[in-house]
Amino acid sequence: MSKLGKFFKGGGSSKSRAAPSPQEALARLRETEEMLGKKQEYLENRIQRELALARKHGTQNKRAALQALKRKKRFEKQLTQIDGTLSTIEFQREALENSHTNTEVLRNMGFAAKAMKAVHENMDVNKIDDLMQEITEQQDIAQEISEAFSQRVGFGDDFDEDELMAELEELEQEELNKKMTNIRLPNVPSSSLPAQPDRRPGMASTARRSRAASSRRTEEDDDFKHLAAWAT
């Protein structure tokens, strides 16, 4: 059996040790990611440093340049291993987060199901039907009461329409008389009207000539009538 297998077997042989909670495992994984991230940054800096050293020596000191390139290759190999480890840890962390989320969802759903079951245990379908029927009946009764209150109650409504119309006409006549009394007539002037102006002299003479001509025509007509009577 390999040493790695013995290590994992030895670590899991103790049944008394309790399994870590998802929160603890996630915290450990995040710490490991942070540690490997720092290691990754360190290796990248070392690779750049060894590369610069190899360029510095170049053809002048080939031995030193080759040693720098060998160290650079080792650091690159470690960096590749860390990249793979970080990918594995990231996948494991995401899977654990999803499992933890699903566990919490399942726990909460089970809790809600138990609460719903406890509520339904105190409910009887027949009682609910009876209650709804009773509520419907009470609503119908309330509606009938509202309609009864809203109906017009005819207390003392038996009146003679003719008498009411006659009384209304009297009231209208009284109102009209009051309005006529309140009307103010215009005041009559106390002074006499102005005298009629005298006719013009020309108009007077023309009127006298017209009366004279009319009298002459009347006399001629009388003479003609006497002559006609004599001839006959």
Side-chain angles (χ1 to χ4, degrees), residues 17-32 89 92-93 96-97 100 104:
R17 182 179 300 175
S21 63
Q23 292 83 357
E24 293 176 353
L26 288 172
R28 293 289 184 88
L29 289 175
R30 292 190 181 96
E31 290 177 358
T32 304
I89 291 176
Q92 187 178 11
R93 178 177 54 79
L96 184 58
E97 288 176 350
H100 177 61
E104 290 297 325

Side-chain angles (χ1 to χ4, degrees), residues 132-147:
M132 295 304 297
Q133 185 176 0
E134 184 177 355
I135 291 174
T136 303
E137 292 177 356
Q138 294 301 322
Q139 289 178 348
D140 294 338
I141 293 173
Q143 184 66 27
E144 292 178 359
I145 293 172
S146 299
E147 291 178 356

Side-chain angles (χ1 to χ4, degrees), residues 155-185:
F155 291 120
D157 286 348
D158 296 334
F159 298 111
D160 189 357
E161 295 292 336
D162 295 336
E163 292 181 359
L164 294 176
M165 291 300 296
E167 186 175 356
L168 180 60
E169 291 178 357
E170 291 179 0
L171 294 175
E172 291 177 351
Q173 186 63 37
E174 290 179 0
E175 187 67 22
L176 182 60
N177 294 335
K178 290 180 181 180
K179 291 181 179 180
M180 294 298 293
T181 303
N182 295 328
I183 293 176
R184 293 184 178 180
L185 296 176

Side-chain angles (χ1 to χ4, degrees), residues 55-100:
R55 288 176 180 174
K56 178 180 179 182
H57 292 291
T59 57
Q60 296 178 0
N61 191 351
K62 293 184 178 180
R63 182 183 177 85
L66 291 174
Q67 291 295 330
L69 291 176
K70 288 180 180 180
R71 289 192 297 270
K72 171 180 167 295
K73 291 293 183 179
R74 290 198 304 268
F75 292 148
E76 288 178 349
K77 185 178 180 180
Q78 293 179 18
L79 185 62
T80 301
Q81 292 175 350
I82 290 176
D83 289 339
T85 304
L86 283 173
S87 298
T88 303
I89 291 176
E90 184 178 0
F91 174 78
Q92 187 178 11
R93 178 177 54 79
E94 292 177 354
L96 184 58
E97 288 176 350
N98 292 333
S99 299
H100 177 61

